[in-house]
């Protein structure tokens, strides 16, 4: 009985580690490998994991005649890129498998990792606006574009945070953020001489570009996880379309109205 | 030359922004931003000599993939932590915008040519990462073989 309870706890520990990684945006290969290592370290001889961006399936068995087979299915819904969590769970699985850490201690550690806060919102806003401003210059803008993109980038990033707190679908999210960027960029470009709205919009657009989805889909293909690779590639493509559509709709409407000058 | 230096600094800060947004662990941020900036400079140099953004993306992605694997090895870190912010500078954001702009002007010839170039650039990034992934795997296997002798 005690043994069965332990088996269940190990299973829950492994699935939580996998869930945190998958939500933080890790590749399939890494998630499956981590889960397998944790289970093997606890003496489960038979482990089978099947992970996808939307769910994790695990089966463990100790391999003896009298043992039961346990299966756990975890549905994963939201995901937000957080490389620090990936890195910490990675370290955790390394220490868990090499030292004699107990399952309870492991659970506490995972709790701590999951509760970790992001960088403060002011720092993130500042960095997002710096990124948008730098990209607008890299794409050929001038000093005025830099300043305007800096301001618009922070506004758009704040707006995108609000939308993701509200749990908005990723297509609408990209569309609204980019529409907002385009709107402000057009206002700025018509009222301030020397500003190019194209560079500013493209700079702010870079904040929402699906870099993580592209990277992960390639790495999933590389390790042979075709379904996840295709899924993430579709996500990357749709996100790019949503960004272009958002900016496009606003520019078109602006043209039809004939522009507003302040 | 001056221009390239300026671009290097700008790419440095752009990658810094993404590193914070994606919450790279603080100690790894310097390596991350260097990788991102070197990737962008490689892209610029390749575009200058070969006149082809697609090849530029491929070269940039190769550099990012290689440096990320090296850093991952020496800093004992998951290589995703370096690749994700590093690759972002190469993603053809401006091309996505230009495709859309050409579509709005009903210039379908331009839309098709810029759109295909955008897709090819994204594909080149993918292939660059893939090639480096396979190469790193082979090198690692070779080292293991040598060590086991």
């Amino acid at each position: 009985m005690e043994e069965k309870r332990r088996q269940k706890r190990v299973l829950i520990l492994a699935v939580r580690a996998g869930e945190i990684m998958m939500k933080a945006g890790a590749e399939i290969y890494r998630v499956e490998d981590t889960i397998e290592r944790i289970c093997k370290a606890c003496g489960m001889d038979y482990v089978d994991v099947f992970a996808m961006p939307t769910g994790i399936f695990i089966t463990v068995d100790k391999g003896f005649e009298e043992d039961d087979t346990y299966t756990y299915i975890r549905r994963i819904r939201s995901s937000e890129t957080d490389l620090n969590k990936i890195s910490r769970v990675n370290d955790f699985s390394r220490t868990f498998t090499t030292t004699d850490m107990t399952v309870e201690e492991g659970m506490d550690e995972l709790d701590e990792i999951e509760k970790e806060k992001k960088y403060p919102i002011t720092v993130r806003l500042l960095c997002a606006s710096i990124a948008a401003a730098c990209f607008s210059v890299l794409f050929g803008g001038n000093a005025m574009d830099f300043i305007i993109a800096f301001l618009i980038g922070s506004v758009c990033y704040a707006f995108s945070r609000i939308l993701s707190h509200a749990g908005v679908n990723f297509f609408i999210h990209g569309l609204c953020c980019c529409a907002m960027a385009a709107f402000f960029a057009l206002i700025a470009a018509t009222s301030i001489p020397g500003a190019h709205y194209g560079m500013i919009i493209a700079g702010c657009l870079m904040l929402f570009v699906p870099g993580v989805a592209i990277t992960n889909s390639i790495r999933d293909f590389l390790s042979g996880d075709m379904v996840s690779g295709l899924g993430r590639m579709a996500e990357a493509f749709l996100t790019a379309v949503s960004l272009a559509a958002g900016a496009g709709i606003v520019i078109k409407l602006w043209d039809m109205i004939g522009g507003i000058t302040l | 030359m001056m221009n390239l230096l300026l671009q290097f600094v700008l790419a440095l800060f752009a990658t810094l922004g993404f590193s914070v947004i994606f919450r790279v662990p603080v100690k790894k941020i310097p390596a991350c931003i260097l990788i991102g900036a070197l990737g962008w400079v490689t892209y610029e140099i390749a575009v200058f000599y070969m006149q082809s953004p697609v090849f530029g993306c491929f070269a940039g992605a190769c550099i990012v993939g290689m440096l990320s694997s090296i850093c991952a090895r020496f800093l004992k870190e998951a290589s995703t932590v370096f690749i994700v912010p590093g690759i972002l500078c190469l993603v053809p954001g401006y091309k996505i915008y230009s495709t859309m702009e050409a579509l709005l002007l009903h210039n379908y010839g331009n839309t098709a040519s810029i759109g295909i170039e955008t897709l090819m650039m994204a594909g080149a990034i993918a292939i660059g990462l893939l090639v480096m992934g396979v190469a790193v795997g082979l090198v690692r296997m070779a080292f293991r073989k040598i060590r086991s002798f």
Side-chain angles (χ1 to χ4, degrees):
Chain A
M1 199 59 210
E2 185 50 43
E3 192 48 45
K4 276 185 182 170
R5 227 174 270 154
R6 181 169 176 278
Q7 200 167 343
K8 189 178 165 189
R9 283 204 304 269
V10 171
L11 192 54
I12 292 175
L13 176 79
V15 90
R16 277 204 59 199
E19 189 192 358
I20 293 175
M21 281 189 123
M22 192 65 98
K23 277 189 176 168
E27 318 94 294
I28 303 297
Y29 152 80
R30 196 178 298 285
V31 173
E32 288 183 348
D33 194 56
T34 305
I35 291 175
E36 209 160 291
R37 273 167 203 266
I38 289 176
C39 290
K40 287 251 163 79
C42 293
M44 308 290 163
D45 284 335
Y46 172 80
V47 187
D48 234 340
V49 197
F50 178 61
M52 283 202 293
T54 47
I56 301 177
F57 308 72
I58 312 178
T59 294
V60 294
D61 197 338
K62 295 208 89 169
F64 296 112
E65 190 94 349
E66 67 273 15
D67 286 321
D68 289 333
T69 306
Y70 282 79
T71 299
Y72 202 121
I73 299 177
R74 178 62 68 91
R75 178 78 165 86
I76 295 169
R77 289 185 194 281
S78 64
S79 72
E80 190 166 22
T81 313
D82 187 334
L83 296 173
N84 194 25
K85 277 185 185 165
I86 297 179
S87 148
R88 281 197 63 184
V89 177
N90 214 27
D91 283 344
F92 163 75
S93 83
R94 203 172 290 152
T95 44
F96 186 81
T97 48
T98 49
T99 59
D100 51 355
M101 191 190 259
T102 62
V103 177
E104 280 70 29
E105 284 166 359
M107 262 323 208
D108 291 343
E109 171 116 24
L110 283 183
D111 276 335
E112 199 184 296
I113 293 174
E114 200 162 29
K115 275 197 209 101
E116 239 185 33
K117 287 270 184 296
K118 298 193 140 215
Y119 291 125
I121 183 74
T122 43
V123 177
R124 274 186 291 154
L125 272 179
L126 182 71
C127 284
S129 34
I130 288 175
C134 287
F135 273 118
S136 71
V137 178
L138 281 178
F139 293 145
N142 53 25
M144 187 50 94
D145 296 337
F146 184 90
I147 296 166
I148 298 170
F150 189 89
L151 297 175
I152 296 179
S154 69
V155 173
C156 285
Y157 187 72
F159 185 55
S160 96
R161 288 300 85 204
I162 294 170
L163 284 185
S164 51
H165 268 295
V168 176
N169 159 293
F170 79 98
F171 193 87
I172 307 293
H173 178 263
L175 196 133
C176 290
C177 290
C178 241
M180 192 166 187
F183 181 66
F184 284 124
L186 284 168
I187 289 182
T190 45
S191 50
I192 301 170
H196 308 90
Y197 65 87
M199 283 47 168
I200 301 169
I201 296 175
C204 296
L205 187 144
M206 284 304 282
L207 289 179
F208 310 107
V209 136
V212 184
I214 293 178
T215 317
N216 276 341
S217 89
I218 304 311
R219 292 178 71 81
D220 288 348
F221 276 124
L222 188 63
S223 55
D225 300 305
M226 295 300 169
V227 179
S228 312
L230 278 178
R232 279 171 164 161
M233 193 162 272
E235 187 195 335
F237 185 73
L238 281 177
T239 312
V241 169
S242 79
L243 298 181
I249 291 169
V250 169
I251 295 175
K252 188 77 189 169
L253 283 177
W254 186 271
D255 244 21
M256 281 162 70
I257 296 169
I260 309 163
T261 37
L262 295 177
Chain B
M1 191 60 218
M2 200 54 222
N3 194 18
L4 204 61
L5 199 67
L6 177 69
Q7 294 211 352
F8 181 78
V9 173
L10 284 170
L12 215 64
F13 277 103
T15 320
L16 171 72
F18 282 114
S19 306
V20 171
I21 292 175
F22 292 139
R23 195 153 165 270
V24 174
V26 180
K27 282 179 194 157
K28 271 70 178 195
I29 285 183
C32 263
I33 63 176
L34 261 182
I35 290 172
L38 284 176
W40 175 267
V41 168
T42 313
Y43 167 81
E44 278 295 323
I45 293 173
V47 170
F48 183 76
Y49 282 108
M50 307 285 286
Q51 302 298 328
S52 152
V54 178
F55 180 78
C57 275
F58 175 75
C62 280
I63 291 291
V64 170
M66 189 176 71
L67 291 178
S68 300
S69 309
I70 293 172
C71 283
R73 189 92 193 119
F74 285 107
L75 298 177
K76 290 208 168 32
E77 186 64 74
S79 58
T80 335
V81 173
F82 303 107
I83 293 183
V84 167
I87 213 71
L88 260 159
C89 286
L90 300 173
V91 176
Y94 193 67
K95 293 277 175 184
I96 296 176
Y97 173 79
S98 322
T99 312
M100 184 272 303
E101 201 178 31
L103 189 64
L104 280 186
L105 296 171
H106 297 286
N107 192 340
Y108 297 117
N110 267 355
T111 310
S113 64
I114 303 175
I116 288 171
E117 195 175 41
T118 311
L119 285 180
M120 278 171 69
M121 281 166 82
I125 295 174
I127 293 172
L129 286 181
L130 268 177
V131 166
M132 272 303 138
V134 172
V136 166
L138 286 177
V139 169
R140 196 169 289 167
M141 209 168 72
F143 268 114
R144 214 169 287 157
K145 279 269 162 63
I146 292 169
R147 209 169 286 168
S148 68
F149 264 119

